[in-house]
Structure formats: C-alpha cells, structure tokens
Amino acid sequence: MGSRSYTNLLDLASGNFPAMGQPRERKQLPRVMTVPGVISELDDDAASDVPSSVVQDRMIIVANQLPVKAKRGPDNKGWSFSWDEDSLLLHLKDGLPEDMEVLYVGSLRADVDLSEQDDVSQVLLDRFNCVPAFLPPDILSKFYHGFCKQHLWPLFHYMLPFSGNHGGRFDRSLWEAYVAANKIFSHKVIEVINPEEDYVWIHDYHLMVLPTFLRRRFNALRMGFFLHCPFPSSEIYRTLPVREEILKALLNSDLIGFHTFDYARHFLSCCSRMLGLEYQSKRGYIGMEYFGRTVGIKIMPVGIHMGQIESVLKLADKEWRVGELKQQFEGKTVLLGVDDMDIFKGVNLKLLAMEQLLKQHQKWRGRAVLVQITNPARGRGRDLEELQAEIQESCRRINETFGRPGYEPVVFIDRPVSLSEKAAYFTIAECVVVAAVRDGMNLTPYEYVVCRQGVSGSESSAESSGPKKSMLVVSEFIGCSPSLSGAIRVNPWNIEATAEAMNEAISIADSEKQLRHEKHYRYVSTHDVAFWSRSFYQDMERTCKDHFIRRCWGIGLSFGFRVVALDRNFKKLNIDHIESAYIKSKKRAILLDYDGTVMPQTSINKTPSSEVISMINTLCSDVKNTVFVVSGRGRDSLGKWLAPCKKLGIASEHGYFVRWSADDDWENCGQSSDFGWIQIAEPVMKLYTEATDGSSIETKESALVWHHRDADPGFGAAQAKEMLDHLESVLANEPVAVKSGQFIVEVKPQGISKGSVAEKIFTSMAESGRQADFVLCIGDDRSDEDMFESIDNAIASGILNSSKSVFACTVGQKPSKAKYYLDDTADVINMLETLAEASDPSPSAGNSP
C-alpha cells in the first residue's frame, strides 16, 4: 500500500512546504514498503539504491559546517580552500582505523553563487573528500539563525520563551526550514553513500532529524549521532512543540552520544515520559529497545587534539613572544577567561566575581588582573546586544573603581584572537576561570592545562623548566566539569562563592597547584579527541554488528517513521497456509490469549461479541479440536464472559486455575495451597501504594499485582525496582516468584505460567492418544512468550512432533519467540473465522483431559 515518503516529509510535518519558496519536486514518487527490504524511491534519475562507488571501511561525517575554509580569489574570481585546523571534525579521524576513508558532508562558511556550485563541489570532493550542501538563502537564515539559534540553542541551555521578546515564541515556518535543510543534507549523503559498507556519523543539534531521512532510505544503515551541546531536563524539553518528532528522529540512529551522564539521563527521561521507552544497562552499555532495534547510548566527553595544541605552542613562541606578555604583566597574578560572546557563557558573572574579589581581598588590588578574551558572537539578536553593553559597563566600572596608573584590573579583549596568541595567554595565566551558566563541553580548561605543561624545546618551556602548575575555577554547569576533579567547582550565580574560589585558586600553595596540574594533565593527554572518536566508533561497530542478518520493515509516516528489526525467520501468518494445514490435520490444539488477542486492549467492555462467541463455539464443536483461552485474568471474569462457550477450555491467572469445559470443575494447578505469603507481601505493596500516587494493588485468587501505569513514569519505575528488591528479600523463603513487567510488579506461586499450562494441555492430549499434529498458539504480551517457548520444549521432549504443523503467533510486529505475527486483533478474528468455516462441527465434540 503506497504512502507519501521522506521526500515529502516536510509536507506531512507542516502542511505548507511550498511556502518556503522551494518548488515541489515533480519527479519523485516515493513509497513506504510494508514488506521486508530496503525502502526506495521511484525516481527517474534514481532507479535503485546502487551506490555511486564501492568503498570499503568508510566513515561519512555529517555536520552543519565542513572542516574547510573558503576564501574568495583576487578580483572576486574563483575560490581557494584550505583545511580548518581548529575543526573538531578534522581531528576526529585520528581515532579511526588508518585504512578507513573519511568523507565529510556539510555546508561552507561562504556564499557560493549557483553558477559556481558544481565546480566548487567537484574541487572539494577531489581535493578534500568533502561534499558541500548548499542551502538556499531563505532556508539558511530560518534554519540556522531561526530554528537553531532562536529555539533549540536557548531551550537546550534552559532558556524558556516566557514572552515574545524573551527567547521567542515557536515559529512553525522556522521548523519547516529546519526540516528542509536536514532534507538537503540527506540528499548529499545519499549521493555518495554505499549503505552496506559505510558508517554515517552525524554531529550536533543542527541535524537532529537527519537520521529519519537516511533511515527511511536505507533501513540497515549503520548510523551514529553525537550531541555537542547540553540536553535539557524533561521539564524543559517537553515545552518544545515538536518534541516527539525530534526524539523519534534521533531514535532512528543506532548510537546516540552525549558528553555527560546528566545529558544522557535527561534524554532517557524524555524517551520514558513522552514515548514510554525504558532503557537497560547490560555489561556497562546502556541501550533502549525500539521496535526490535537496540539504540545504544554513549557517554564520553570529547577531548582536544594534543598535536595541534603542541604545534600552536611553538608558534606562540615565534609569533607572539610569551616574554612580552610576561613583561606586560610583571609582578601581577593573571586570571584568564576565554569565552564566546554568548548569553550562556557567564562573562558578566565572572566580571562581578572579580569585582567582589577586589572588594573583599584588598591584598589583590594592584596585583590581580583578569584578562577576558571574548570571541565574536555566532548568533545575533537583542539579547546579545544587551549583554555586550552590560559587559562593557562592568569593565568600565571595575577599572574606574580599582584601577590606578600602570594597573588595570580587567583587560577586556573583544576581537578575534589567533590560536597562537591565545596559547601565549594560557602560558602566563596562573588560573583560568570558566563561569558559564550552561555549556555542552567547553575545552578551554583542557587547552589551558596542556599549554601550562608546555612542549620540550620551546622558548617558554626552557624559561620555566621547574615544576608545572595550573589552577582551574570552573562552573559546575559545563560538560568538562566532572572530568576535572582537581578544579574548584562553583555555582557561577553565586558571585561571592565564585570570588572566594578565585581567591583560593591564586592563593593556594605551589605544591598543591602542581599536584592538581599533574592529575589534570594525565587525564587530558590520554583522553584526547582520538580516544573519543575511537571509543565512539568501536561502540558503533558493536551496536550495528547484527544489522545485515535481520529483516527490517519501514513503517509510519512523517516523523512517526521507524524501522522494525526482526529475525529473518519471523513472518506474517499466511491464512491460506494455516487453513491448508488445519484441514489436513486430525488432532488440533488451539491456545488463545484473551486481552489484546481476541479482545482489543483498548476496549472498555471486555465481554466478547456474539460473532466471537459463535466463532469459538464453532471451533470447539469440531471433534478434532482442543480449544483453550489462556489468560492472566481471574476465573470469575473469564467464566462469566465466556459462559456461552460450553466446550471451551479456560486457563485463568496464567494457568493457576484450569477448566477443560463448562461441565468440568476448576483444577488448581499450583504446587502449594499455602497463601501465607500474602500476609507478608500485601503490607509491603500497601506501603508503596501509599507513597506512590497513581499506583494500585490488584488482588487475584493466586497472585498480587502492583500497578504503576498511572504514576509518574520515573518515580513509578524507581519505586517498582525498589519494591521488587524489597519483596524478593522478605519472600526469599516463600514458594513464590516475584516478577516485574510492563508497569507492574507481580507476586505469584512458583511454577505458574502460561508455558506450564500449555505443556499440561499438550501432555494430556498425548497421554490420551491424541497427540496434536496441529498447534496454533496466539498471544500479544510478555506472558505469552512462555507459551511460545513451551512449544519448543514440547517438541524437544517428544510431546509434540517437529514435523507437524506448529503456528506460534504474536499480535503485532515486535521481537518475539514466535515465528509468525498478525498485525492486530482484527487479523486474529479474521484468521479464526477462516478456520471456523473450515471446521467440521460435531455434536459430540469437546475438550477432554
């Protein structure tokens, strides 16, 4: 069945893509396949998914900007290009295998005329292995300065749009531009990708919906994503109107990386609260099951490129003599700040702390100097203009109050500063202060530590051949803070505490500075950018190792698209096939779950319709059939709902009570009739119920079930885990099993499961000379997996013959021990009606133990 696919994804997401000013693509007639295989477009110019070239072991790195500098030639003619040595993307290849080719996809920091784009693309591909994505000016402005900088950047740094003038209200046209830009990037990746050989590594918040475009085209693509900024708490993130679209798009990656556990925890919490997904930690790796795929979560802070910093240090000696700076600040203690001009960098908070330091500790007047280097702003807007004015005013006030001839307490450098000049300042600074109120990583402290260590053979290192020392005052709200255990961590909003931390940092004994420096240098020098990229690549390899041995279905429209990955032997139950096997068989066992199988989960009235009753009666009336409903519900409810089905067998409470027909008595299949454990378990459950709003206890004849579906997702899951441990402890000597399920914790007698009742039915049939030569077992949840497993056990033990017709079937396309699936309850009823029509009713038929 056809549906509009990813090339028209923007239409589906917003409804007014043509308003963007980009014409609709006339030739593309995409579709979503609902059968196993690769999703493809039916294009005139893209008839297949055959890649343009076959390259082994290749990594395609996709980011908003290429690691290339573009410069206009003389007289505005032609272009010259060079590597951007400051780019993280350029250096991460050091951690990849030596024989792995690296291809870059991204935009240029230059406006290239339409007539020049083809030539520029060819030069960049031939000389730099780069594929440029050229964004139309209207999309570029709304994409980068609009959605990225006005919505995502503030929100991910915990700024909410409280008013139209503060942060900006959500603008759907900016979201449309964001999606359009991501689609353009996807086209560039598709042009060069070999989906069976290449890895794709996507970087940062500019391209968070790109995984959906690529996954839609290549179901088994090996793809990772790394977020270089903070991921906010669920309370902040959930205010974003397109919150679920972005989460689902990210989950189309195989591995999602974050700098810190806090960022990863916030992402996992959002997935839990908004999508109902839970994560598991296994052997040190965190993963989430998402429609049969395991999406890995990677926590690894990025590092710096040691070689680049060391080479810059040598340049610093030549191009900007460290000696000049030492002479300029002779007799002074230099504190240094290096930040972007950004509202989240806390530059003015740092200046206020410096002012407080000079007020509280007069000994530093005339001696302590704060050198603040501020890189040019990347964004624009009124907030930045107000920030710049505030910083300028603070600098003027501090210098007027505490300055004197020959002494300026704040040296404010508001211009582009070369790496070599910055390294020179690092070299002479006693302490670096980072007061950002929120920052994804911030590598300034790492760079400072390496610069203070110096390199052998340089002029500055020769001059300071004694013990190396450094001090750091860092905000607790930046990504590098957890890895710098020797730094003095501060809350930058607490001006007084930050000032005291600065005083402590420059007053502390040299021996202590040396020890802290050594500790930091060991970490920074070993956890460099190569270590980071190598670790991410290895985790991507591990996460993707089973990609090409599983069957994949692409389902869903717009950002609801996802890939269902299942075992290759898992297939939809063919009604004609099962009907043929049914007609040929002589002894049949039919086991049906109730809720979610013959009765929809969403139905409030659980009484079966007259059509379902008639169908079950027809199946039961065939002398060849043994028909059972196997459910977790109580026997009273099932007995009442299924009362008209006199010949139907019922197994209630997962098989604790079994009745072969309405004329038979209920059998108790429990190994013990001692329910003294209820007196122990129930008070514990009541305790947690009182403490957990939205939870409840269900009391069955044989079991106690604690439900927390309506509780807060995070708190309910935590309480469930705590209760599970508590119950296992107090019931350790009781004949019961304590299990957790989806939003439940259940205590029930040992040995009771749907699997055990299935084996009992198969065994009874075999012992009475009616060994089943046809088995149909259908269910929709975890408890039914025991039934599917029991079929394999019965075959292994000879109770069932492996050569006979066995149909273990789950409801819904999801990972299962069953080999077949049907889409929903309607499919189940349709299939059962087909079998009922093929039955041979007999008045004397009925279940028999």
Side-chain angles (χ1 to χ4, degrees):
M1 184 171 68
S3 64
R4 299 169 72 187
S5 183
Y6 83 97
T7 47
N8 289 325
L9 186 55
L10 191 57
D11 302 74
L12 296 169
S14 62
N16 58 352
F17 178 44
M20 291 299 307
Q22 186 166 317
R24 191 181 298 277
E25 299 177 67
R26 177 181 54 82
K27 292 187 294 185
Q28 294 176 325
L29 297 170
R31 61 189 174 92
V32 176
M33 296 173 64
T34 54
V35 295
V38 176
I39 295 180
S40 60
E41 290 184 298
L42 303 179
D43 289 356
D44 298 31
D45 55 351
S48 74
D49 284 335
V50 178
S52 57
S53 61
V54 178
V55 181
Q56 298 258 338
D57 299 324
R58 188 170 66 166
M59 175 70 76
I60 299 177
I61 295 172
V62 193
N64 179 42
Q65 293 183 333
L66 291 170
V68 170
K69 294 179 179 178
K71 187 178 180 181
R72 202 65 162 131
D75 301 324
N76 257 2
K77 294 180 180 178
W79 291 90
S80 63
F81 302 99
S82 61
W83 287 115
D84 181 1
E85 297 294 337
D86 297 340
S87 173
L88 171 72
L89 304 180
L90 181 62
H91 300 308
L92 65 79
K93 65 182 180 183
D94 291 354
L96 302 177
E98 289 185 9
D99 58 347
M100 174 172 274
E101 181 185 0
V102 177
L103 188 70
Y104 297 99
V105 177
S107 61
L108 278 173
R109 297 188 194 92
D111 295 327
V112 180
D113 189 80
L114 186 62
S115 61
E116 298 177 297
Q117 289 180 3
D118 287 345
D119 292 338
V120 167
S121 298
Q122 194 61 50
V123 169
L124 288 173
L125 182 60
D126 293 343
R127 290 178 49 199
F128 296 90
N129 247 21
C130 290
V131 179
F134 299 106
L135 303 180
D138 57 336
I139 290 182
L140 175 60
S141 177
K142 291 183 176 181
F143 156 66
Y144 184 75
H145 294 292
F147 195 73
C148 288
K149 287 300 182 183
Q150 289 182 28
H151 290 319
L152 292 182
W153 182 257
L155 187 77
F156 279 31
H157 289 76
Y158 289 74
M159 177 184 282
L160 291 174
F162 293 113
S163 66
N165 295 326
H166 183 76
R169 295 286 189 227
F170 180 78
D171 184 341
R172 186 156 292 274
S173 70
L174 303 184
W175 163 245
E176 293 165 12
Y178 183 82
V179 176
N182 277 248
K183 188 175 81 169
I184 291 171
F185 277 88
S186 75
H187 288 171
K188 291 301 177 181
V189 175
I190 290 169
E191 284 178 13
V192 296
I193 197 170
N194 175 7
E196 294 185 358
E197 300 291 345
D198 295 343
Y199 289 87
V200 176
W201 188 356
I202 302 167
H203 290 265
D204 223 2
Y205 67 100
H206 313 90
L207 302 174
M208 289 196 294
V209 300
L210 179 58
T212 287
F213 289 110
L214 296 179
R215 184 68 68 196
R216 185 176 286 276
R217 181 66 184 262
F218 306 111
N219 288 354
L221 181 64
R222 297 175 293 187
M223 178 165 48
F225 179 93
F226 197 94
L227 185 68
H228 292 272
C229 69
F231 195 93
S233 73
S234 61
E235 293 303 308
I236 298 291
Y237 180 79
R238 69 200 305 178
T239 64
L240 186 64
V242 289
R243 60 191 189 182
E244 291 186 10
E245 289 88 335
I246 289 176
L247 285 181
K248 290 176 180 177
L250 288 174
L251 289 170
N252 276 317
S253 305
D254 296 300
L255 183 66
I256 305 173
F258 301 91
H259 285 307
T260 72
F261 175 68
D262 272 352
Y263 303 160
R265 178 170 55 86
H266 294 158
F267 175 77
L268 293 170
S269 175
C270 289
C271 290
S272 172
R273 290 174 177 274
M274 296 167 209
L275 303 179
L277 301 176
E278 298 300 329
Y279 74 92
Q280 289 184 328
S281 182
K282 187 176 181 181
R283 295 182 180 176
Y285 297 107
I286 299 174
M288 274 191 300
E289 286 296 316
Y290 188 59
F291 294 95
R293 296 169 48 246
T294 298
V295 180
I297 303 298
K298 176 71 173 175
I299 301 166
M300 175 64 68
V302 71
I304 61 174
H305 190 268
M306 291 293 294
Q308 184 202 19
I309 299 296
E310 289 171 351
S311 64
V312 166
L313 282 176
K314 295 175 183 177
L315 288 175
D317 291 320
K318 295 175 183 177
E319 297 183 12
W320 187 274
R321 295 188 304 273
V322 173
E324 285 191 3
L325 287 177
K326 287 184 176 179
Q327 184 177 356
Q328 178 184 349
F329 296 107
E330 186 177 3
K332 307 291 191 300
T333 298
V334 178
L335 297 98
L336 179 65
V338 181
D339 303 278
D340 293 338
M341 179 59 75
D342 188 285
I343 57 177
F344 301 109
K345 300 303 181 183
V347 175
N348 198 52
L349 294 176
K350 189 189 309 180
L351 294 173
L352 295 176
M354 180 64 182
E355 184 177 30
Q356 183 69 19
L357 170 68
L358 296 175
K359 286 180 181 178
Q360 293 295 113
H361 301 278
Q362 297 186 17
K363 65 179 180 179
W364 293 116
R365 295 181 186 180
R367 293 173 54 200
V369 176
L370 173 63
V371 177
Q372 177 60 51
I373 299 174
T374 307
N375 303 319
R378 298 181 189 178
R380 59 194 182 197
R382 198 176 72 177
D383 287 339
L384 271 176
E385 294 171 3
E386 292 175 353
L387 174 67
Q388 287 172 319
E390 189 178 353
I391 289 173
Q392 295 285 357
E393 171 58 26
S394 294
C395 291
R396 183 195 60 76
R397 186 183 65 252
I398 296 170
N399 285 335
E400 285 183 359
T401 304
F402 301 102
R404 64 183 70 162
Y407 171 65
E408 198 175 36
V410 175
V411 177
F412 186 64
I413 302 174
D414 186 16
R415 58 174 171 79
V417 175
S418 67
L419 274 177
S420 56
E421 184 179 353
K422 193 190 303 180
Y425 276 104
F426 281 142
T427 304
I428 60 101
E430 282 294 312
C431 174
V432 155
V433 184
V434 181
V437 296
R438 192 70 61 176
D439 206 350
M441 185 61 193
N442 200 313
L443 295 175
T444 297
Y446 289 7
E447 295 169 350
Y448 167 65
V449 168
V450 175
C451 288
R452 290 290 285 182
Q453 181 72 16
V455 291
S456 58
S458 70
E459 181 183 327
S460 60
S461 288
E463 291 176 2
S464 56
S465 56
K468 312 297 182 183
K469 58 184 188 295
S470 62
M471 280 302 297
L472 291 166
V473 175
V474 299
S475 165
E476 62 191 51
F477 302 119
I478 64 175
C480 69
S481 175
S483 61
L484 298 169
S485 56
I488 302 175
R489 298 190 182 97
V490 296
N491 172 6
W493 297 104
N494 188 334
I495 304 299
E496 292 77 11
T498 305
E500 288 305 315
M502 293 164 65
N503 174 60
E504 180 185 353
I506 56 181
S507 303
I508 204 167
D510 284 353
S511 58
E512 181 68 17
K513 292 180 181 178
Q514 181 185 346
L515 289 173
R516 296 190 187 214
H517 170 81
E518 290 172 353
K519 185 176 188 179
H520 290 156
Y521 184 74
R522 278 196 303 272
Y523 177 85
V524 172
S525 60
T526 55
H527 292 71
D528 61 355
V529 66
F531 177 87
W532 169 74
S533 62
R534 185 183 308 114
S535 179
F536 192 89
Y537 169 67
Q538 289 170 349
D539 273 22
M540 211 172 1
E541 271 191 317
R542 177 185 53 79
T543 306
C544 302
K545 68 181 186 300
D546 295 332
H547 267 32
F548 300 108
I549 62 173
R550 309 187 79 180
R551 292 167 74 95
C552 295
W553 284 261
I555 60 174
L557 298 175
S558 187
F559 286 106
F561 176 84
R562 66 271 187 197
V563 166
V564 178
L566 301 165
D567 187 272
R568 285 188 175 274
N569 295 320
F570 189 72
K571 54 189 175 182
K572 187 165 185 176
L573 184 59
N574 184 291
I575 293 182
D576 292 337
H577 175 49
I578 191 173
E579 181 183 17
S580 174
Y582 181 84
I583 293 172
K584 294 175 184 177
S585 57
K586 304 298 182 185
K587 298 289 185 291
R588 310 175 187 126
I590 300 174
L591 278 61
L592 309 172
D593 177 38
Y594 192 72
D595 292 281
T597 302
V598 296
M599 178 61 60
Q601 284 280 17
T602 55
S603 177
I604 297 176
N605 181 7
K606 296 297 184 180
T607 303
S609 65
S610 57
E611 291 79 6
V612 171
I613 293 293
S614 174
M615 174 197 67
I616 293 176
N617 278 330
T618 303
L619 289 171
C620 292
S621 297
D622 191 324
V623 70
K624 301 175 182 178
N625 294 346
T626 297
V627 185
F628 263 84
V629 166
V630 184
S631 172
R633 287 197 175 268
R635 56 178 173 174
D636 291 340
S637 298
L638 292 174
K640 176 183 176 182
W641 294 333
L642 299 170
C645 304
K646 302 298 182 183
K647 301 171 185 177
L648 174 69
I650 299 176
S652 68
E653 298 193 21
H654 297 130
Y656 188 84
F657 298 107
V658 175
R659 187 180 73 182
W660 288 83
S661 71
D663 296 332
D664 295 319
D665 294 328
W666 287 98
E667 298 178 21
N668 184 334
C669 299
Q671 298 174 354
S672 170
S673 58
D674 179 12
F675 285 93
W677 56 267
I678 292 180
Q679 307 303 317
I680 303 173
E682 193 170 31
V684 174
M685 286 192 172
K686 285 182 176 178
L687 180 69
Y688 283 88
T689 303
E690 291 171 4
T692 312
D693 188 39
S695 64
S696 61
I697 301 173
E698 178 187 1
T699 303
K700 299 181 179 180
E701 290 185 70
S702 66
L704 288 177
V705 186
W706 187 74
H707 296 267
H708 62 94
R709 180 181 294 275
D710 297 328
D712 176 87
F715 185 55
Q719 291 288 80
K721 186 177 184 301
E722 177 68 24
M723 181 196 288
L724 185 71
D725 293 340
H726 193 161
L727 288 172
E728 285 178 341
S729 174
V730 299
L731 297 172
N733 297 321
E734 301 294 330
V736 294
V738 184
K739 292 186 177 182
S740 64
Q742 191 168 25
F743 301 110
I744 67 163
V745 175
E746 183 175 24
V747 184
K748 61 182 181 181
Q750 290 177 345
I752 297 300
S753 71
K754 289 187 178 182
S756 62
V757 77
E759 288 188 27
K760 177 181 177 69
I761 294 169
F762 299 147
T763 302
S764 296
M765 292 179 67
E767 290 175 349
S768 61
R770 302 174 61 247
Q771 185 184 51
D773 58 1
F774 174 95
V775 176
L776 172 61
C777 184
I778 312 179
D780 75 307
D781 64 19
R782 291 182 187 176
S783 63
D784 298 307
E785 296 297 313
D786 293 335
M787 282 201 294
F788 305 147
E789 189 174 13
S790 72
I791 292 176
D792 295 331
N793 296 336
I795 291 173
S797 62
I799 298 173
L800 292 177
N801 193 323
S802 60
S803 63
K804 304 305 181 183
S805 299
V806 177
F807 298 91
C809 178
T810 189
V811 181
Q813 295 182 31
K814 58 180 180 288
S816 173
K817 294 172 184 174
K819 293 184 178 180
Y820 299 94
Y821 74 90
L822 289 171
D823 287 326
D824 49 33
T825 303
D827 270 4
V828 174
I829 298 300
N830 181 45
M831 182 270 297
L832 292 175
E833 286 177 344
T834 301
L835 299 187
E837 291 172 2
S839 299
D840 180 19
S842 169
S844 61
N847 290 338
S848 171

